[in-house]
Amino acid sequence: MQKRNYNYFLLIFFAFLLVVSTIFTQTLTDKATQALQKGNIEAVETFKTSNEMQHLVNFSFTLQSRFSQLAAVPDNALDVLGDSLTLFGYNANVLNDAIAHKAPIANLKYLMDAVNTQLNISYAIIDARQHQNTRLMETLTDSLRKSKPGDDVYRYGVLVEKFLESQLQQTLVTNSTHASQLSSYNRILSVAAIIAVLIFTTVIVVRQWQQLVLIKELRLAREAAVKSRNAKDEFLANMSHELRTPLNSLIGFGNLLSDTPLNDTQKDYINTIISNGYNLLHIVNDVLDFSSIEAGKLRIKRIPFNLAELFEDLKRMFSAIITEKKLTYQWEIDPQVPQMLKGDPERLRQVLVNLVNNAIKFTAQGGIRLQVRLLPPDNEETHKLIFNVIDTGEGIPKEKINLIFERFEQLEHMTTRQHGGTGLGLSIVKSLVESMGGTVAVNSEPGQGSTFTFTGIFEKVAEIPAIADKQSDKPAADFSGYTALVVEDNAANRVLIKHLLKKYHLAIELAENGLEALERIQAKHYDLILMDIQMPHMNGYKAISIIREELHINTPAIAMTAYVMENEIKRCFAAGFNDYISKPIEEADIIGKILKWMPVPAEDRKEEAEGHPADSLDFFKELLGGDEAVMQELLTEIGKQWEEDQTALRTAAAAGDAAGVARILHRTRSTFSAFGPNHPIQELLKDCRITGTAENMIHTCEQLIRQIGEKWNFIIISG
């Protein structure tokens, strides 16, 4: 009985021991589980913090890149960049709070200092851009590039991430210590913890892999965007050429026909043809200008012009359609407005043409009135003008007023069919006005008419230049005794140019492509070459390159191009053309270009030299329309090319390569062709003959380089 009781008590003892052991083990298991859960939560938070740190670093690099190129960012994107900076600062503060509550570390403070530095510089750049402080903006942008706060954010971010990783590692070690003190249950829990860690590690690896995939996709998307942009530019250039070539014939023959005896009906017909030809040309120009605005390539000139003459030109331009629609047309310039202003007359004309054309389009009765008044200036060096274009037309519904300046927007779906247009005119007006430092607005009442108002900033003109007497739109010129070669693949354009120049007694010979032109130029001397760019067999660029580089012929050559994009115009000068004229060709323009480049008799040249110093840049300024920005850009390019020509000339002379020296000298003449055929540099190159031994050639080349260098230095100083 006692033995049985003993066994009973022993059983109870073992049961009790088992229960206690189970409770103890369960308690330890619970503690281990809680420790593991706590460690897992910390690991998740650490992972999230690490992930947010990575996003913050990437965000910092992106903002640094965008602000380093802020000059190319359109004004309407500044608000988006400001919001991005706000979000960047907010994320940094949240991340700082999340890490600081764990343990204060010095690298976190350095990280926030780098973030604040980047924010301060970026906000300062936006502020300078909004206040149009270009110099301050460039200084701040240069400071941003040099200091590279994004690199500091990355460096201290990596150190903070290492600290977080260290904390994560310490948590895992603690969990393993707890797990090693337990029985098999604890070992199971340890295995579970390891599995959990592996899962988190897998998640991290997967996320990193996804980021790499995303970066690759973004790179491919960027390459596709660049390819698409290049394709768009090429398409616009080709479209311009294909449309302007037939327009050249249409408008040109229309103008020639209008100079012949016609009855009233025939005059109406031909005026309609010419008017619609110019309408189509305006549509092409709108599309090209819109593309330039989108690409940020729109350039505003700063040249003197007469505002009253511009308004007179507008009146003549619209006189036919005003008469046809039986409307009135008036313009008024406040007497306080200066006669001469400095700005971009062509862009101002384009704005007014779009607004007046729009007013005429939607006005059936009444008329159009233009007003110009002077506003208080922002500074003493500029004039601020306000322009009003008032019509008595259909008016604009209130719900449409906020949309009319958007691209491709028109009042109704039927507007295009009723009135024509692309929907780009007012969008271009808004962009051009803003480029001139102004704003545009509209006030309209349906059925009563509309008033478009815009402002513009123009510089003051210190000296009023002499105004040429405009008695006739057609230039007076007589090219008797001169012969020009016209190279054009379009038969209609060949005939047009032949008949147009025949009126000025200029002998014309025709070639259909570059190959035929080369044959004619080698067989006969011409006083001038007029050459199309886009031709079969051999285009104009290749032909002029051979003429300059291989044949060493310096006959003045004018490119006739339907490509009017800025890069194509620069390409014309780089290829060796002396000048260019865009299609459709206007009679006054082409005669003016020919007068500029046609050789003049010796006695006339002497008189011209007495009136204009040989070293002056009058020819250069006239060629570029007085646009100082373009002049400086071209002078820089000429300087770079002259440095290359000097090096090549010395190398060829040292090698005794007379043919190479001659080729380089002809190339140098093309380099300085923008200064005019009678400039002293051109005279030096024209009269120079470098032959003999290598030693003599080196001596002569150095002497020539020194003489040209003196002239070039004078140009740089005086320019």
Side-chain angles (χ1 to χ4, degrees), residues 461-479:
V461 178
E463 298 181 2
I464 300 180
I467 302 175
D469 185 15
K470 285 191 167 185
Q471 296 181 352
S472 174
D473 291 336
K474 298 188 181 299
D478 187 348
F479 301 119

Side-chain angles (χ1 to χ4, degrees), residues 539-676:
N539 62 34
Y541 292 125
K542 180 65 175 177
I544 195 65
S545 177
I546 294 175
I547 291 171
R548 300 303 192 215
E549 300 294 334
E550 298 182 16
L551 302 181
H552 308 306
I553 295 176
N554 297 301
T555 301
I558 301 175
M560 300 183 299
T561 174
Y563 295 120
V564 293
M565 308 294 278
E566 186 175 350
N567 59 333
E568 291 294 334
I569 294 173
K570 291 181 178 178
R571 188 180 174 190
C572 286
F573 287 110
F577 284 103
N578 301 94
D579 211 332
Y580 78 96
I581 185 168
S582 62
K583 297 178 181 178
I585 294 174
E586 297 287 347
E587 183 174 342
D589 290 342
I590 193 171
I591 298 304
K593 298 284 186 182
I594 296 175
L595 284 171
K596 183 188 298 184
W597 291 101
M598 188 69 73
V600 294
E603 58 272 12
D604 294 339
R605 186 180 301 171
K606 181 177 179 181
E607 293 176 1
E608 180 180 333
E610 293 174 355
H612 300 277
D615 289 335
S616 72
L617 292 179
D618 291 346
F619 185 93
F620 182 64
K621 293 177 181 178
E622 183 183 357
L623 177 66
L624 298 177
D627 191 328
E628 296 178 1
V630 177
M631 287 167 58
Q632 290 301 323
E633 181 180 355
L634 188 53
L635 283 174
T636 301
E637 294 299 324
I638 292 173
K640 292 179 181 178
Q641 185 60 49
W642 168 229
E643 291 295 331
E644 294 179 6
D645 291 347
Q646 290 182 64
T647 303
L649 196 59
R650 289 188 174 104
T651 302
D657 183 3
V661 169
R663 183 175 65 255
I664 295 166
L665 288 176
H666 281 283
R667 184 176 72 192
T668 305
R669 291 195 65 183
S670 297
T671 300
F672 294 106
S673 63
F675 298 150

Side-chain angles (χ1 to χ4, degrees), residues 315 318-329 356 360 368:
K315 182 178 180 180
F318 292 107
S319 61
I321 189 170
I322 288 290
T323 303
E324 178 184 346
K325 297 189 71 171
K326 298 180 180 179
L327 302 175
T328 61
Y329 183 91
V356 173
I360 294 173
I368 291 87

Side-chain angles (χ1 to χ4, degrees), residues 4 124 181 240 458 558 599:
R4 197 182 282 180
Q181 297 174 357
S240 169
F458 302 90
I558 301 175

Side-chain angles (χ1 to χ4, degrees), residues 33-45:
T33 302
Q34 291 175 2
L36 183 60
Q37 289 176 344
K38 182 180 179 181
N40 290 341
I41 291 173
E42 290 182 358
V44 171
E45 290 178 352

Side-chain angles (χ1 to χ4, degrees), residues 173-190:
V173 171
T174 303
N175 290 345
S176 299
T177 303
H178 283 291
S180 65
Q181 297 174 357
L182 301 177
S183 62
S184 58
Y185 299 107
N186 299 57
R187 293 188 183 93
I188 294 174
L189 293 177
S190 299

